[in-house]
C-alpha cells in the first residue's frame, strides 16, 4: 500500500508532464500540417522564454498573476467550490490597489504593503458575497461569480472614470512609495518588469498549502468541500466554512490584481473586456492538479508558452494560435488524465514494476 | 464430465497487497455454488478475475475442462460467463430492452430491430420467471426489477454460468424470496450459478455447495446438506461465532436522556414526532423498534442537533439539549453512530486516520493553536485501528477504500473512544457480515456495562430483541409501548409496530 501511495504521488507528477509532452507532439504535427518546421518553431518559443535575461524576466512577470489566479481557483476547488469569479476578484484587487497607491500618502514600502492588504481584503469580501449567497440561500457560486465578474468590470471602469481618472483612459499613476518594482530586479533582468510580486506569489503558495493542509481551518474547509453532511454531523459550521473558503480564494485573486498594478503597470486601464487572467487561472489550477505547488508548474507552463509564442511569431512567422492549441491540448490531456494513468498502468505492468 | 468452472491456485495482488492468495474454486454444472467470506475477503476480486476484469498473477482457469486465459469481459461472454455486479450498470432513461441489447443490437438493414429484441427479452423473461416488462424505463422500476434486468442482460448474451455478486444486499425480504425462486428456475434449466453473499440463511436455503474464503485465502468447500449455519460461520470468521448475544442482566441507574413531549417537523413539513416521550438510563440499552419512516430518523436528528425541535424538551443529564448546535451536543457527551455511514459518518476522501478525529481535530493533542498535529492524529488512529480491529492497509488509506464493515468499525471506534454518556447507534450493523455484527454488539454491551446509556435503533427485529434491555416501539411519531425483550416476540412487536398494539406504557 505504501508502494501504491508512491505510485499515486508519482502519477500526480507524471501525468501533467506526459500531458505536456503529448500536447507538444500534437502541436508539432499541427505545425507540420500547416507547412511550418516544428523544431524551428519550438526552439524560437524556447528562445522567447529563456533566450536572454530580459525574456526570462518578462516570462516571470507574466507568470506572477497566473500563480495568484491559479491559487484562487485551486483553493476554492479543494474546498468544494468552483470559483469562476477569480477574474472579477482580480479586477477588484487591481482597483483597490490603484486607489490606495494613487491617493493615500504613506512611507515607501509600507504604502505598498497597505495597498496589497486593502486589495486582498476588498477582493476577499467581494468573493465573500458569492460565498454568503451560497451558504445562506443556496445560490450556486458559478452563477453568482459569473455575474459578479461583469459587475466588477463595469463597476471599476466607472470608478476610474469618475474618481481616479489619470491622463489617458487610465487611472492616476500610483505614487512611487507604493511600487512593487525593484531597480535591482529590473537591472538584473535587463529592464524586464519582473517585480516583488513574484516573491509574494511564492510566499502565498506556501501559505495556501499550509492553511489547507496543516491547520484546523483547512481541515474543516476540506471536510465541508468533500462532504457537508458529515461535516455538519461532526459539529462544523458548514455555512461559515463555505463563506470562508470563498473569502480566502478571493483574497489570493486580489493580491494578484494588486501586484499587476503596483508591480507592472503602475495604474489600471479602463477596459472594454476582461483581462483573461482569472479564467486562465482555471486552466492553471487544472494543470497543477489543484495543488498549490502544482499551480506554480501550471503557471510557468501557461505563462511561459503564451509569452514565448510571441517570439515564435516574430521570428518564424508561425501564428501564436498554434501555441494556444498546444496549451489547450495540454489541458485536454490533463483533464483526460485517466487515459494517461491507464497508459502508465499498462506500461508498468509490462515492465513488471 | 469435468467441472464447468475450475479456478486453481489463483493469486491476485494489488500493488503488493494480496487480495486472493492461492484460491481454488470448483463449480459443477447445474449447481448453485455459494462463495462465502467476510467483507474484504476477496470474493469480488476472485469473480472479477473469472469475468476477465482482472488478470491473476498466478494460477489457472479451466472452463468446461479447457484451460483458458480470460483477457476481458467480452471473452468471458464468449465462454458463456455472465456477471451481475454489486452496483448495477444500467442507463436510467433507456428502456429495459434498450439496456439489454446495448452493444449488440439486432439490426434490420441500418435500423435497430427493436421489436425483435423485445420479443426475445419477453421470451427469456417468461422462461425463467423474471416478470420484467421489456418496454419499461429503468428509472421507473424498482431496484429488485433492475437487478432482474441485469440477469436478463447476461442471459441475452447467452450466459451459461452466472455470477451474482451480493445480489441480496440491495433487496427487500420479499424480493429476496423472489430472487431465490428465479435462481432455482435458472438451474433447473441447466444454468450454473455462483452466488456471493455473507448471509448464511440464504446459503442454507438455496445452495448446493459452498466455498469459503477468509482474508484472501481458500479455507474449505462443503456440501450444504452436510453442514450447518454454525460451521459455516466459524469457517468464514476463523473462530467460533455466537448468534446469541451473551450479556448479563442490565443494572440501570439514573436517567441520562429524558425526552418530553417532543414535536419535530419532518422534511415535508408535517409533524414527524408528535409529542414523543422517552427515557434512557445509565447502564441500559434501549432499543427502538418500528417500521421505517415512523419518526426514527427525525428523533435521532433532533437529539443530535441536526434537526430543529419545534416544542418539547430533550435533557441530557438534566441539561437541556434542544436546538443546540451539533458541536455543543457532541461536547456535552453524546456519541452517534449514524444511520448512513457514507453520508454522515465519514468523509470518504479523508484517510481513515483523519476520520478518527472528525469531532476532536481542534482539540489537544490533535491541534495546538489552530495547527494540526498529524503525528498525534495518526498515532491515535493507529491505536484505535488496533483496538477495534479495523482492517486497513494503513492509517493513511482513504476511508473510501475500506470495506463497509471496516468503515463501520472505524466509526464505532471513534464514537466509543470519546466515551460519551449517551451512545446513539442507528442501524449499526446494516449490511455487515456476522463477524462484524457480533463485534459491534459486543461493543454496545461493553458501553452499557461501563455505565453508559445506549440508544439502539434498528429495523432488524432480531437485533432489537437480542441486544436491548428494554424495547420502545415507535409508531407515527410516538412511543406506543415499552416492552421487555424477554417477554415479547416477533408477533407481538410486529403488531405494535403496525399500530395495533396496546402494550403497557
Ligand atoms: N482495485 C483494487 N485495488 C486495490 N485493492 C483492492 C482493489 N479491489 C479490492 N481491493 C482490496 O482487496 C481486498 C478484497 O476486496 P474484495 O474482493 O472487494 O472483497 P469482498 O468482495 O470479499 O468484500 C480488500 O481488502 C480490498 O480493499
Ligand atoms: Mg465484494
Amino acid at each position: 500500500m505504501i508502494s501504491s501511495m508512491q505510485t499515486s504521488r508519482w502519477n500526480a507528477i507524471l501525468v501533467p508532464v506526459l500531458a505536456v509532452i503529448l500536447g507538444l507532439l500534437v502541436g508539432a504535427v499541427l505545425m507540420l500540417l500547416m507547412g511550418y518546421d516544428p523544431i524551428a518553431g519550438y526552439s524560437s518559443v524556447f528562445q522567447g522564454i529563456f533566450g536572454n535575461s530580459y525574456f526570462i524576466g518578462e516570462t516571470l512577470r507574466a507568470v506572477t498573476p497566473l500563480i495568484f489566479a491559479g491559487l484562487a481557483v485551486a483553493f476554492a476547488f479543494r474546498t468544494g467550490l468552483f470559483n469562476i469569479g477569480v477574474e472579477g476578484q482580480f479586477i477588484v484587487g487591481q482597483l483597490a490597489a490603484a486607489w490606495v497607491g494613487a491617493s493615500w500618502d504613506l512611507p515607501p514600502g509600507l504604502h505598498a504593503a497597505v495597498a496589497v492588504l486593502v486589495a486582498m481584503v476588498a477582493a476577499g469580501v467581494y468573493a465573500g458575497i458569492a460565498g454568503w449567497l451560497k451558504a445562506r440561500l443556496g445560490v450556486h457560486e458559478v452563477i453568482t461569480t459569473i455575474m459578479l465578474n461583469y459587475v466588477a468590470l463595469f463597476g471599476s471602469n466607472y470608478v476610474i472614470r469618475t474618481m481616479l481618472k489619470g491622463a489617458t483612459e487610465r487611472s492616476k499613476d500610483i505614487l512611487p512609495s507604493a511600487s512593487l518594482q525593484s531597480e535591482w530586479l529590473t537591472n538584473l533582468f535587463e529592464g524586464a518588469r519582473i517585480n516583488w510580486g513574484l516573491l509574494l506569489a511564492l510566499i502565498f503558495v506556501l501559505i495556501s498549502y499550509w492553511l489547507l493542509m496543516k491547520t484546523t481551518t483547512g481541515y474543516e474547509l476540506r471536510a465541508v468541500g468533500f462532504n457537508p453532511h458529515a461535516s455538519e454531523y461532526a459539529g462544523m459550521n458548514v455555512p461559515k466554512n463555505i463563506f470562508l473558503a470563498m473569502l480566502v480564494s478571493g483574497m489570493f485573486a486580489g493580491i494578484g490584481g494588486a501586484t499587476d498594478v503596483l508591480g507592472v503597470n503602475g495604474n489600471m486601464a479602463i477596459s472594454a473586456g476582461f483581462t483573461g487572467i482569472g479564467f486562465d487561472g482555471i486552466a492553471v489550477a487544472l494543470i497543477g492538479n489543484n495543488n498549490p505547488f502544482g499551480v506554480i508548474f501550471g503557471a510557468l507552463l501557461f505563462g511561459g508558452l503564451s509569452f514565448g509564442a510571441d517570439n515564435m511569431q516574430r521570428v518564424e512567422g508561425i501564428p501564436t494560435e498554434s501555441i494556444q492549441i498546444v496549451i489547450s491540448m495540454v489541458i485536454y490531456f490533463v483533464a483526460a488524465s485517466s487515459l494517461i494513468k491507464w497508459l502508465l498502468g499498462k506500461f508498468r505492468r509490462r515492465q513488471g514494476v | 464430465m469435468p467441472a464447468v468452472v475450475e479456478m486453481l491456485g489463483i493469486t491476485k495482488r494489488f500493488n503488493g497487497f494480496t487480495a486472493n492468495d492461492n484460491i481454488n474454486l470448483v463449480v459443477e454444472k447445474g449447481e448453485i455454488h455459494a462463495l462465502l467470506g467476510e467483507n474484504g475477503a476477496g470474493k469480488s476480486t476472485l469473480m472479477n478475475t473469472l469475468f476477465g476484469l482482472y488478470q491473476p498473477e498466478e494460477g489457472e482457469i479451466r472452463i468446461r475442462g479447457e484451460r483458458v486465459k480470460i483477457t476481458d469481459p467480452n471473452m468471458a461472454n464468449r465462454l458463456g460467463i455472465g456477471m451481475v455486479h454489486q452496483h448495477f450498470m444500467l442507463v436510467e432513461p433507456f428502456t429495459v430492452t434498450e439496456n439489454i441489447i446495448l452493444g449488440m443490437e439486432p439490426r434490420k438493414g441500418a435500423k435497430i430491430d427493436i421489436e425483435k429484441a423485445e420479443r426475445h427479452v419477453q421470451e427469456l423473461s417468461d422462461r425463467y420467471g423474471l416478470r420484467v416488462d421489456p418496454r419499461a424505463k429503468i428509472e421507473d422500476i424498482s431496484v429488485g426489477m433492475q437487478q432482474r434486468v441485469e440477469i436478463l442482460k447476461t442471459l441475452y448474451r447467452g450466459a451459461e454460468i452466472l455470477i451474482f455478486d451480493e445480489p441480496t444486499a440491495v433487496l427487500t425480504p420479499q424480493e429476496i424470496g423472489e430472487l431465490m425462486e428465479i435462481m432455482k428456475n435458472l438451474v433447473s434449466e441447466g444454468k450454473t450459478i455462483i452466488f456471493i453473499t455473507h448471509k448464511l440463511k440464504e446459503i442454507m436455503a438455496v445452495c448446493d455447495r459452498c466455498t469459503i474464503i477468509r482474508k484472501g485465502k481458500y479455507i474449505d468447500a462443503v456440501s450444504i446438506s452436510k453442514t450447518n449455519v454454525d460451521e459455516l460461520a466459524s469457517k468464514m470468521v476463523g473462530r467460533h461465532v455466537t448468534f446469541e448475544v451473551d450479556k448479563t442482566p442490565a443494572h440501570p441507574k439514573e436517567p441520562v436522556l429524558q425526552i418530553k413531549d417532543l414535536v419535530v417537523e419532518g422534511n415535508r413539513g408535517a409533524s414527524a414526532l408528535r409529542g414523543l416521550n422517552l427515557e434512557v438510563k445509565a447502564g441500559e440499552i434501549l432499543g427502538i423498534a418500528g417500521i421505517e419512516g415512523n419518526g426514527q430518523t427525525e428523533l435521532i436528528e433532533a437529539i443530535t442537533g441536526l434537526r430543529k425541535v419545534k416544542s418539547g424538551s430533550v435533557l441530557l443529564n438534566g441539561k437541556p439539549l434542544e436546538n443546540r448546535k451539533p458541536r455543543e451536543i457532541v461536547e456535552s457527551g453524546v456519541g452517534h453512530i449514524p444511520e448512513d455511514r457514507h453520508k454522515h459518518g465519514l468523509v470518504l476522501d479523508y484517510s481513515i486516520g483523519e476520520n478518527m478525529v472528525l469531532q476532536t481535530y481542534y482539540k489537544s493533542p490533535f491541534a495546538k493553536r489552530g495547527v494540526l498535529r498529524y503525528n498525534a492524529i495518526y498515532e491515535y488512529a493507529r491505536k484505535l485501528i488496533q483496538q477495534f480491529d479495523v482492517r486497513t492497509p494503513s492509517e493513511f488509506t482513504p476511508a473510501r477504500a475500506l470495506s463497509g464493515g471496516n468503515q463501520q468499525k472505524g466509526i464505532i471506534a471513534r464514537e466509543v473512544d470519546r466515551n460519551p454518556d449517551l451512545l446513539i447507534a442507528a442501524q449499526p450493523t446494516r449490511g455487515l457480515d456476522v463477524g462484524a455484527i457480533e463485534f459491534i454488539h459486543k461493543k454496545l454491551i461493553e458501553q452499557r456495562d461501563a455505565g453508559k446509556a445506549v440508544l439502539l435503533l434498528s429495523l432488524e427485529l432480531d437485533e432489537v430483541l437480542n441486544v436491548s434491555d428494554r424495547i420502545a416501539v415507535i409508531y407515527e411519531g410516538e412511543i406506543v409501548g415499552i416492552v421487555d425483550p424477554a417477554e415479547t416476540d416477533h408477533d407481538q412487536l410486529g403488531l405494535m409496530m403496525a399500530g395495533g398494539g396496546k402494550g403497557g406504557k
Side-chain angles (χ1 to χ4, degrees):
Chain A
M1 260 305 152
I2 294 294
S3 76
S4 99
M5 266 178 59
Q6 274 165 357
T7 310
S8 71
R9 197 164 289 175
W10 259 113
N11 276 349
I13 297 171
L14 264 176
V15 168
V17 169
L18 278 178
V20 171
I21 294 172
L22 285 173
L24 290 174
L25 282 177
V26 172
V29 171
L30 214 80
M31 287 184 212
L32 273 177
L33 288 178
M34 296 192 298
Y36 299 110
D37 176 0
I39 297 184
Y42 281 136
S43 58
S44 67
V45 172
F46 189 82
Q47 282 292 320
I49 303 172
F50 299 107
N52 56 45
S53 42
Y54 173 79
F55 281 158
I56 295 180
E58 275 298 301
T59 303
L60 292 175
R61 188 268 308 159
V63 164
T64 304
L66 289 175
I67 295 180
F68 282 111
L71 273 187
V73 175
F75 190 89
F77 197 84
R78 292 291 284 271
T79 57
L81 296 165
F82 201 15
N83 184 1
I84 311 274
V86 172
E87 180 70 36
Q89 294 139 26
F90 188 87
I91 292 173
V92 169
Q94 282 181 314
L95 182 67
W99 174 58
V100 174
S103 2
W104 292 20
D105 202 3
L106 288 165
L110 181 68
H111 194 177
V114 170
V116 169
L117 213 68
V118 173
M120 177 171 119
V121 172
V125 170
Y126 196 67
I129 298 172
W132 186 86
L133 285 169
K134 166 138 189 169
R136 282 285 156 225
L137 306 174
V139 190
H140 201 282
E141 74 276 12
V142 167
I143 294 169
T144 47
T145 53
I146 287 177
M147 298 202 300
L148 285 169
N149 281 343
Y150 287 97
V151 175
L153 176 64
F154 299 121
S156 69
N157 283 345
Y158 175 80
V159 171
I160 296 172
R161 208 171 277 131
T162 53
M163 294 179 237
L164 267 179
K165 186 101 166 27
T168 50
E169 290 296 287
R170 302 182 150 271
S171 70
K172 274 185 278 188
D173 278 337
I174 58 162
L175 301 172
S177 56
S179 174
L180 280 177
Q181 271 170 7
S182 135
E183 211 168 316
W184 174 71
L185 273 176
T186 312
N187 291 338
L188 192 66
F189 290 95
E190 296 174 9
R193 291 168 295 166
I194 180 173
N195 60 77
W196 292 124
L198 181 65
L199 187 66
L200 272 184
L202 297 179
I203 291 172
F204 274 93
V205 165
L206 289 174
I207 291 179
S208 165
Y209 177 79
W210 180 80
L211 181 65
L212 209 49
M213 306 307 291
K214 302 288 177 196
T215 67
T216 54
T217 308
Y219 181 95
E220 282 190 21
L221 288 170
R222 284 181 297 136
V224 169
F226 282 134
N227 186 346
H229 303 288
S231 306
E232 190 190 2
Y233 153 89
M236 300 172 196
N237 184 336
V238 174
K240 185 192 99 182
N241 276 292
I242 291 174
F243 173 75
L244 187 64
M246 278 308 276
L247 187 86
V248 174
S249 170
M251 283 179 163
F252 290 133
I255 308 168
T259 64
D260 190 57
V261 168
L262 305 175
V264 183
N265 296 320
N267 56 37
M268 184 180 179
I270 293 174
S271 169
F274 290 117
T275 65
I277 288 169
F279 301 120
D280 293 345
I282 298 170
V284 167
L286 191 66
I287 295 172
N289 201 13
N290 292 306
N291 173 306
F293 298 108
V295 162
I296 301 181
F297 172 79
L300 281 172
L301 183 81
F302 203 100
L305 283 180
S306 320
F307 187 75
D310 292 341
N311 192 54
M312 180 182 76
Q313 177 147 30
R314 273 197 302 275
V315 179
E316 296 292 328
I318 307 177
T320 51
E321 280 77 9
S322 52
I323 289 297
Q324 296 304 323
I325 291 173
V326 171
I327 294 174
S328 314
M329 288 317 290
V330 172
I331 294 166
Y332 172 78
F333 283 121
V334 169
S337 63
S338 48
L339 177 79
I340 294 184
K341 277 184 203 140
W342 180 75
L343 282 173
L344 276 174
K346 281 240 139 157
F347 179 74
R348 287 213 182 94
R349 209 165 305 146
R350 197 160 305 148
Q351 299 279 300
V353 180
Chain B
M1 206 173 71
V4 64
V5 173
E6 291 168 272
M7 300 182 82
L8 303 172
I10 301 292
T11 295
K12 173 70 201 167
R13 294 188 194 94
F14 295 109
N15 298 311
F17 173 78
T18 311
N20 285 170
D21 184 1
N22 195 14
I23 292 187
N24 296 323
L25 173 70
V26 178
V27 182
E28 303 291 340
K29 184 165 163 45
E31 71 169 345
I32 303 181
H33 193 108
L35 181 57
L36 176 65
E38 290 183 277
N39 286 320
K43 306 179 295 288
S44 297
T45 304
L46 187 68
M47 288 302 105
N48 286 337
T49 308
L50 180 59
F51 193 55
L53 286 166
Y54 297 152
Q55 298 306 311
E57 268 76 46
E58 282 160 43
E60 65 176 70
I61 299 176
R62 292 164 194 249
I63 302 295
R64 298 176 196 91
E66 240 175 274
R67 189 166 173 178
V68 289
K69 195 167 178 304
I70 305 174
T71 49
D72 55 69
N74 286 330
M75 172 147 189
N77 278 333
R78 283 198 297 278
L79 289 167
I81 303 170
M83 182 155 175
V84 175
H85 292 271
Q86 229 161 332
H87 305 282
F88 303 153
M89 303 178 179
L90 297 172
V91 186
E92 294 257 308
F94 279 22
T95 67
V96 166
T97 303
E98 284 163 347
N99 266 282
I100 289 172
I101 62 176
L102 207 63
M104 47 183 308
E105 302 85 357
R107 286 176 190 283
K108 192 156 67 181
K111 264 182 59 196
I112 295 176
D113 190 351
I114 198 85
E115 275 97 48
K116 185 175 161 204
E118 272 170 6
R119 276 198 308 278
H120 190 177
V121 169
Q122 188 74 58
E123 260 167 44
L124 284 170
S125 169
D126 292 344
R127 180 153 160 215
Y128 299 105
L130 290 167
R131 284 179 296 163
V132 168
D133 173 7
R135 289 200 187 85
K137 283 219 169 97
I138 297 297
E139 57 200 3
D140 298 334
I141 64 180
S142 69
V143 171
M145 181 90 82
Q146 291 182 10
Q147 187 174 62
R148 300 208 289 272
V149 174
E150 289 279 6
I151 297 173
L152 269 175
K153 218 158 109 183
T154 64
L155 294 173
Y156 186 87
R157 282 160 177 69
E160 291 296 320
I161 303 157
L162 290 97
I163 306 168
F164 292 167
D165 193 350
E166 299 205 25
T168 57
V170 291
L171 301 182
T172 64
Q174 199 204 343
E175 287 174 327
I176 292 176
E178 289 170 11
L179 177 67
M180 304 253 155
E181 283 310 306
I182 292 167
M183 286 169 57
K184 284 181 196 157
N185 290 342
L186 286 166
V187 287
S188 71
E189 296 273 336
K191 308 280 183 198
T192 306
I193 295 177
I194 303 176
F195 175 40
I196 302 186
T197 183
H198 52 240
K199 295 189 190 161
L200 301 166
K201 276 187 199 158
E202 293 168 2
I203 294 182
M204 297 307 291
V206 284
C207 294
D208 301 297
R209 287 193 313 140
C210 174
T211 293
I212 302 130
I213 62 175
R214 182 165 78 228
K215 293 186 188 171
K217 291 204 171 64
Y218 170 83
I219 301 299
D220 203 358
V222 295
S223 277
I224 297 304
S225 56
K226 296 198 190 86
T227 188
N228 55 51
V229 170
D230 283 326
E231 190 193 15
L232 287 178
S234 52
K235 284 197 160 132
M236 163 164 93
V237 183
R239 58 187 162 80
H240 182 66
V241 185
T242 49
F243 287 95
E244 303 292 297
V245 178
D246 72 302
K247 57 172 194 185
T248 53
H251 302 290
K253 298 193 193 63
E254 75 287 352
V256 171
L257 177 74
Q258 291 164 291
I259 298 176
K260 288 197 193 91
D261 304 321
L262 187 65
V263 177
V264 166
E265 279 186 359
N267 287 337
R268 284 187 217 92
S271 288
L273 299 182
R274 307 187 301 185
L276 181 136
N277 290 288
L278 190 67
E279 193 173 272
V280 190
K281 299 193 182 77
E284 75 164 352
I285 299 178
L286 179 89
I288 294 193
I291 298 167
E292 194 163 9
N294 275 282
Q296 295 97 318
T297 307
E298 290 83 358
L299 171 62
I300 290 181
E301 286 177 350
I303 301 174
T304 52
L306 297 172
R307 185 178 288 269
K308 245 190 87 178
V309 171
K310 211 169 155 200
S311 69
S313 67
V314 180
L315 301 180
L316 185 78
N317 294 324
K319 276 185 294 188
L321 277 193
E322 65 274 2
N323 291 329
R324 291 292 160 94
K325 295 210 169 76
R327 173 149 297 165
E328 281 178 69
I329 294 173
V330 165
E331 290 188 338
S332 60
V334 176
H336 176 194
I337 300 160
E339 196 172 349
D340 185 336
R341 53 180 165 262
H342 287 175
K343 189 173 173 194
H344 289 114
L346 296 164
V347 176
L348 289 172
D349 297 282
Y350 271 2
S351 68
I352 184 68
E354 285 173 298
N355 270 292
M356 291 293 194
V357 295
L358 205 57
Q359 297 101 331
T360 47
Y361 60 90
Y362 58 93
K363 288 187 176 165
S364 175
F366 307 129
K368 253 189 203 145
R369 274 180 250 109
V371 180
L372 294 169
R373 297 272 149 129
Y374 268 108
N375 284 339
I377 291 173
Y378 282 121
E379 192 183 318
Y380 174 71
R382 268 194 298 281
K383 186 190 96 183
L384 289 192
I385 286 168
Q386 211 198 358
Q387 261 176 27
F388 286 79
D389 188 32
V390 182
R391 308 234 174 102
T392 170
S394 82
E395 60 274 26
F396 310 114
T397 308
R400 185 184 294 290
L402 269 59
S403 69
N406 286 302
Q407 290 174 340
Q408 189 73 347
K409 281 187 189 172
I411 295 172
I412 288 170
R414 182 182 73 206
E415 297 307 308
V416 167
D417 200 70
R418 285 196 291 117
N419 210 16
D421 294 335
L422 170 69
L423 179 63
I424 301 171
Q427 304 228 53
T429 61
R430 170 143 81 177
L432 304 187
D433 58 61
V434 287
I437 293 174
E438 187 196 37
F439 178 89
I440 287 165
H441 288 167
K442 235 165 62 193
K443 286 292 163 193
L444 295 182
I445 292 163
E446 269 174 35
Q447 281 304 100
R448 179 201 77 170
D449 292 343
K452 310 293 178 183
V454 179
L455 178 62
L456 169 71
L457 186 149
S458 176
L459 298 176
E460 303 257 353
L461 274 190
D462 280 328
E463 180 163 54
V464 176
L465 279 164
N466 287 336
V467 181
S468 316
D469 301 311
R470 284 194 303 148
I471 299 175
V473 181
I474 192 170
Y475 176 70
E476 294 197 340
E478 283 177 81
I479 300 296
V480 291
I482 297 213
V483 291
D484 181 345
E487 286 164 14
T488 187
D489 54 24
H490 276 167
D491 292 341
Q492 193 202 353
L493 276 180
L495 194 65
M496 289 173 72
M497 282 158 54
K502 39 190 183 314
K505 200 161 181 181

